[in-house]
Amino acid sequence: MTVVAFQGEHGAFSEEACHQHYGPEVNTVSCHTIEDLFASLDDDRATVGVVPVENSAAGSINKASDLLLHHDLRIQGEIILRVRHNLLKLPDNGDIIKEVRSHTQALAQCEQFLNNNGYEAVPWYNTAGSAKDLAESPEPNVAVIASALAAKTYGLEIVQKNIEDESYNYTRFLIIGKGETEQTQNAKTSIVFATPHNPDGLSSCLGELADRNIKLIRLVSRPRRNYPWQYVFYVDFEGHWREAACGAAILGLVNRAAFVKMLGSYPAAIQPGEDRYTQKTMLQI
């Protein structure tokens, strides 16, 4: 039986991503922190974990990437979730709303809606947590912003759907676990590496991909732990490491980089709005 770990309270967008990929009947495990999620995979309390790595509006979510570097786990897939914010309240608790609670990022993504309605925005520790706390401790004139799954989970009423200011709001999640996935045609590979300290360190490493006509999808830099002012680079590119060109590129990278770690080759998720979303490299150096 597949057990899927996610970070946050039940009803979180991460759990919604689990349902989208595995179906609504999947057995999920709530973890307080992303560190707890990784620990649940290390000691086999969960089969796989679903962790957010980037949002189309807010950018990279770095914690999961940092932990992947230091755990013996592999990326086994990815999920693209359309984030739909909803205004929720207790049923039969009146129609007057004065205060709206949610995670700061959700409040920011619904700022125009909140201002237009004159609601006071109150930060909460996360979206599903605001729904859970309101259900457990009812208060008048209070609403929350959370997922439709949170409304179902905690018995709240959806006052208004899709209240986010920007409709093009997606979060990319990684599915992580032990072991490799089977080779697929529509594959993506993720690696992390550090470069030697010379003028062409990064360009020569990335040249191993360019020389073989391998499309770079994403490049993100992160501080290297215990090495002040040094950085590691997380790279996603098209193809599977077992393909000849990709395998040769990784081998070439090993010969040029200070270190290389394979994070996984896995089926790429179907991207939303391919005319504007695909064919672009996301650079966040």
Side-chain angles (χ1 to χ4, degrees):
M1 178 180 64
T2 300
V3 178
V4 185
F6 70 94
Q7 188 271 324
E9 302 284 359
H10 284 288
F13 285 106
S14 291
E15 188 176 30
E16 197 171 80
C18 299
H19 288 186
Q20 175 180 301
H21 188 79
Y22 291 100
E25 303 304 319
V26 66
N27 190 0
T28 57
V29 174
S30 168
C31 298
H32 183 63
T33 65
I34 294 184
E35 288 87 351
D36 293 339
L37 186 154
F38 274 73
S40 74
L41 299 174
D42 288 336
D43 62 19
D44 296 322
R45 284 179 287 133
T47 314
V48 295
V50 169
V51 292
V53 288
E54 61 180 324
N55 177 267
S56 59
S60 293
I61 304 165
N62 296 312
K63 177 61 74 173
S65 297
D66 292 344
L67 289 170
L68 274 170
L69 179 57
H70 300 286
H71 285 257
D72 188 22
L73 298 169
R74 291 290 183 269
I75 303 172
Q76 299 184 351
E78 65 177 356
I79 305 165
I80 307 295
L81 178 73
R82 165 74 163 87
V83 177
R84 292 178 170 87
H85 291 303
N86 303 278
L87 187 68
L88 315 179
K89 73 176 186 67
L90 291 163
D92 305 320
N93 198 34
D95 295 326
I96 299 176
I97 296 172
K98 297 180 180 179
E99 177 183 304
V100 177
R101 302 170 179 173
S102 197
H103 188 275
T104 52
Q105 190 174 107
L107 295 172
Q109 292 176 2
C110 303
E111 183 177 12
Q112 183 177 341
F113 171 83
L114 295 170
N115 290 339
N116 288 345
N117 288 279
Y119 296 147
E120 179 187 0
V122 178
W124 222 250
Y125 66 96
N126 67 28
T127 55
S130 67
K132 178 183 178 182
D133 291 350
L134 181 60
E136 293 180 347
S137 301
E139 295 185 45
N141 311 123
V142 174
V144 301
I145 295 174
S147 68
L149 179 60
K152 180 179 179 180
T153 301
Y154 300 110
L156 299 181
E157 174 188 339
I158 298 178
V159 179
Q160 190 167 338
K161 297 180 178 180
N162 303 336
I163 63 172
E164 60 275 4
D165 299 336
E166 175 56 63
S167 61
Y168 197 81
N169 188 353
Y170 293 84
T171 296
R172 175 177 174 244
F173 295 82
L174 296 179
I175 303 169
I176 59 174
K178 295 180 179 178
E180 305 284 347
T181 58
E182 295 183 1
Q183 184 175 352
T184 60
Q185 289 185 337
N186 185 32
K188 178 186 290 188
T189 295
S190 296
I191 60 174
V192 57
F193 65 90
T195 63
H197 290 280
N198 53 51
D200 67 343
L202 179 59
S203 62
S204 65
C205 287
L206 295 179
E208 294 293 338
L209 300 176
D211 290 346
R212 294 168 177 85
N213 200 32
I214 297 172
K215 186 178 293 183
L216 178 67
I217 300 173
R218 183 172 183 257
L219 171 63
V220 177
S221 67
R222 293 289 296 148
R224 189 175 179 185
R225 186 181 295 181
N226 300 325
Y227 291 85
W229 318 124
Q230 296 185 31
Y231 300 87
V232 296
F233 299 92
Y234 290 85
V235 168
D236 297 345
F237 58 87
E238 287 187 355
H240 195 281
W241 72 267
R242 291 191 179 97
E243 297 172 13
C246 293
I250 293 170
L251 181 59
L253 185 58
V254 168
N255 292 327
R256 292 184 180 273
F259 83 86
V260 179
K261 181 178 180 181
M262 168 69 71
L263 299 179
S265 288
Y266 49 93
I270 297 175
Q271 304 289 351
E274 290 191 2
D275 57 329
R276 58 179 293 192
Y277 192 89
T278 57
Q279 311 303 322
K280 295 181 180 179
T281 301
M282 300 183 67
L283 299 179
Q284 301 174 22
I285 302 177

